[in-house]
Amino acid sequence: LCDKLAEIKKACQIYDERTADKAVSDLRKHTWSYPVKKMISSISEYLLHSEFDEAAEVAEKYHSPNEITASNNHSADMNLLLDTKKGIERYNNDEDIYKKILSSFLTNIGPMIVLFENVTPEKMNEYKIKVHAVKSICFDIFAEKIAGMASDLEKAAAIENFKFIAENNPIFVESVKKLEAEIKSFI
């Protein structure tokens, strides 16, 4: 984490957007505590708007190992995208209702994945709507890592930043497919 934040700070100081975006993307591949996820999203938001000084400032603030540490955000396995324990708790500990919600997600996600895999600048509005839907349901079912990724992609689509989408969409699609498999395994 500290090395990536130092890399982001250095890249922002020389206005190297590509390196900074790559470092943020690399950070998103891991599971972090809520404060770290919030900090990464903050940096990402600044980069979307080419606010390099602000992004460097956030990276500087948190690059010390004592400031912020990675933690397990999931109940069983850090590599899982879905926190079923929290999801079930959200639905008053009714696992059947939670599984119905997950089943509904599976029914609807297939056509969205096709759109995500084939996004073009001309499909930006539809992409923004669908990625918003994924963001919302993922927050609801406690697939927070994907929800965060979707949030960043939605913001990029809103300002028609296709470059950001082209660079970050592949890991998003891969993660959504992994979530789909996790859900199938769970239900």
Side-chain angles (χ1 to χ4, degrees), residues 71-82:
S71 73
N72 183 345
N73 193 34
H74 299 292
S75 54
D77 181 346
M78 266 181 82
N79 295 319
L80 293 179
L81 295 168
L82 183 66

Side-chain angles (χ1 to χ4, degrees), residues 16-178:
D16 182 354
E17 182 179 1
R18 183 181 196 106
T19 299
D21 282 340
K22 170 121 177 47
V24 168
S25 179
D26 289 346
L27 286 174
R28 289 204 180 280
K29 295 176 185 174
H30 301 282
T31 302
W32 303 106
S33 64
Y34 178 75
V36 174
K37 289 191 295 186
K38 190 170 175 73
M39 177 263 305
I40 294 168
S41 291
S42 178
I43 291 171
S44 181
E45 180 73 20
Y46 285 128
L47 291 174
L48 276 173
H49 300 288
S50 298
E51 296 172 347
F52 295 101
D53 293 338
E54 291 84 353
E57 191 176 306
V58 173
E60 166 72 21
K61 180 178 178 185
Y62 292 105
H63 87 279
S64 164
N66 297 325
E67 282 294 323
I68 228 161
T69 57
S71 73
N72 183 345
N73 193 34
H74 299 292
S75 54
D77 181 346
M78 266 181 82
N79 295 319
L80 293 179
L81 295 168
L82 183 66
D83 188 333
T84 56
K85 181 179 180 201
K86 286 182 181 178
I88 292 167
E89 287 172 2
R90 175 177 298 255
Y91 292 97
N92 294 322
N93 293 313
D94 190 329
E95 188 172 326
D96 291 335
I97 289 176
Y98 183 61
K99 285 182 175 181
K100 286 179 184 176
I101 299 292
L102 294 176
S103 181
S104 176
F105 175 85
L106 289 178
T107 300
N108 294 298
I109 197 62
M112 289 185 199
I113 290 173
V114 172
L115 170 69
F116 298 152
E117 289 177 325
N118 298 295
V119 66
T120 63
E122 296 76 29
K123 295 179 182 177
M124 197 62 62
N125 193 49
E126 183 182 5
Y127 178 85
K128 180 178 69 171
I129 292 166
K130 300 298 185 188
V131 84
H132 172 81
V134 170
K135 175 190 77 172
S136 297
I137 189 65
C138 284
F139 274 128
D140 192 52
I141 64 173
F142 281 93
E144 293 175 312
K145 179 178 177 182
I146 292 177
M149 296 166 86
S151 178
D152 290 343
L153 290 166
E154 178 186 16
K155 290 173 190 170
I159 61 170
E160 298 183 3
N161 184 346
F162 190 72
K163 178 182 179 241
F164 180 87
I165 291 169
E167 291 174 358
N168 293 281
N169 193 57
I171 188 70
F172 173 69
V173 170
E174 180 183 314
S175 296
V176 170
K177 288 179 177 179
K178 182 177 177 194

